[in-house]
Amino acid sequence: MLTSSLHILLVASLAIRCGAATGPVQQIQRDKLADLLTIYPPRNPDNSSITLHTKIIVKELMDMSVKTETLKVMAWIRFYWLDYRLAWEPPDYGFVKEIRVPPNDIWTPDMLISNSLSDFEIRKHDRTIPAIIGYNGLVHWSVPFIIETRCNSDVTFFPFDSQECRVKLNSWTYHDKLIKLEISDYSTSMESRLGNIEWVIKDVTNQLLYEPDVLNHPFYPNQTIRYPFIEYRIRLKRKPEFYTNMLIYPSLLLAWLSSLLFLLPNECAEKLSFSITMFLALYVNQMIVADMLPPSADTFPLIARFYTIVSLLMGLSVILTVISLTIHNRLNHEMISEDSWLFKFVEVLENIGLASLSTFLSKIKCHLLDHCPGSQPEPDDFGLTNIQHDNHSDEDDEEGEKRADSNGVRVKKSLKAIVAQKVMAECSSKMDDYLRDIVAKLTIIAKDDAADIALRRWRLIAAGLDKLFFLLYIALLAAVSFYFGALVIEHLSNEQ
């Protein structure tokens, strides 16, 4: 009997001790939450509206897509408000200063992310996270939330761009007559922000704003009703290293390599193929960039402008190459007159050292102008005049000998003269045929030399045009590169 009594006393003492540890919390819940009205916001003791302090703490950037213009971040949304209905005196409840209760047991604000693309109502997101209630009635409710919202992208300076995304936090039904929304200044050491492999979170700012005023509200006649909201601005900075190494540097290299096209000799069979290959390689890079950017008509990226201008320059280089090759491989090798601008152009090329005609220019001019100083007699007169003169002098000698000699001697010499004249006539006829053959061959050779001279002249012009095209292309490409580089440097300096 005594043993059973001692056992009952021991159990009772243990129960008293456990009740002392857990009883105050349960007592607070019974006293403060049993008949609490949770569908209507609490009021201050003077019947004024309560102040709701709120703050969004961005913890990690999960995704930022400029192509779809969407932002996805993981954040903590914290709320603080005073509910005097929940206050208690710590000495009356075992000096308990705070308790944790399910959010369904108390009033919670119907806050939401109004520009969210997914779940926008916060209190329906996770109702298992308890709220903390202090003895003075201060309620602290912190909810982890994945915010996915639309972000208007400005890709003018891609890939050196910065984006500013806005998150709008407001109440769905409560206006300023029921709650006063304010930005919380409460901060902790846990507010560090993490970016991702492509973006860095530079800054997060907030601002309290109001929707347009509502006049003549049916519940508040002759009063102005305002619906407050907090706008958070998340500023992101892109890491440009990947895009500069994979897109910008190769594009610049292709653009400058295309200038070497004009240094290739026109005899190179792959000259035109080289220019077209460069153009297609740049076009492939342009398509890669276009696939990364949104098809927006509001902004035109600077890199797209660069690709467009360089593509036009490469297209111009293809056209200039075709012109140069056409002149170089000209089938109709016409002679150039001395008064033509092409003739003067060739002389300018010689003077500036782009071509060498020091030993050949006099012959070219001679054939172009169809006359040469100190020209020789016409081919048809070669040797004929001298031969006739020799025949006349021989006849005079024969006549003198006829007068001096006797008749027999004259007859003999006359016979010799006749024979000599016949021999000379035959030799003269053969000589004429031989000379005519030589003249004909020389005429053919002269025509071939003139055609070769004309061909060399046209090829000289093509080579000179290549040099001029090269200088023009280099000047235009340098101006384009300097212009876009200056814009990018100015943009980066303004951001700093």
Side-chain angles (χ1 to χ4, degrees), residues 145-211:
F145 197 80
I146 295 178
I147 302 174
E148 186 175 2
T149 181
R150 184 166 299 280
C151 180
N152 295 328
S153 302
D154 183 7
V155 291
T156 303
F157 293 95
F158 174 86
F160 306 99
D161 55 326
S162 298
Q163 305 297 334
E164 185 178 85
C165 304
R166 301 185 180 186
V167 178
K168 184 179 178 181
L169 178 66
N170 63 291
S171 172
W172 184 248
T173 60
Y174 298 133
H175 45 74
D176 61 342
K177 299 297 182 181
L178 298 178
I179 61 172
K180 293 180 181 179
L181 188 62
E182 289 188 3
I183 301 174
S184 173
D185 56 356
Y186 178 79
S187 62
T188 66
S189 60
M190 301 179 64
E191 295 187 10
S192 59
R193 296 183 290 265
L194 299 177
N196 60 5
I197 59 175
E198 185 178 358
W199 297 91
V200 175
I201 301 177
K202 299 292 292 184
D203 192 17
V204 178
T205 59
N206 48 52
Q207 185 179 8
L208 178 62
L209 301 172
Y210 292 90
E211 299 287 354

Side-chain angles (χ1 to χ4, degrees), residues 366-378:
C366 174
H367 287 282
L368 287 175
L369 302 178
D370 295 331
H371 71 277
C372 300
S375 58
Q376 299 296 327
E378 295 297 329

Side-chain angles (χ1 to χ4, degrees), residues 206-222:
N206 48 52
Q207 185 179 8
L208 178 62
L209 301 172
Y210 292 90
E211 299 287 354
D213 295 344
V214 178
L215 301 178
N216 298 323
H217 193 278
F219 300 153
Y220 301 91
N222 300 323

Side-chain angles (χ1 to χ4, degrees), residues 158-160 240-258 278 281-282 285 289 303 306-307 310 314 477 481 485 488-489 492:
F158 174 86
F160 306 99
E241 289 78 10
F242 172 78
Y243 297 99
T244 53
N245 293 330
M246 299 300 295
L247 292 177
I248 295 181
Y249 291 156
S251 300
L252 285 173
L253 183 61
L254 286 174
W256 285 98
L257 281 178
S258 62
M278 287 293 179
L282 184 68
N285 276 1
V289 174
I303 190 172
F306 173 77
Y307 278 127
V310 173
M314 285 191 172
L477 189 57
S481 302
V488 171
I489 292 175
L492 295 178

Side-chain angles (χ1 to χ4, degrees), residues 31 39 49 66 77 144 174 196 203 265 304 323 327 335 352 378 410 417 454 459-460 465:
D31 294 345
I39 61 175
S49 58
V66 296
I77 304 179
Y174 298 133
N196 60 5
D203 192 17
I323 294 174
I327 295 175
M335 284 294 182
I352 64 176
E378 295 297 329
R410 291 178 181 175
R459 290 185 175 180
L460 175 64
L465 288 176

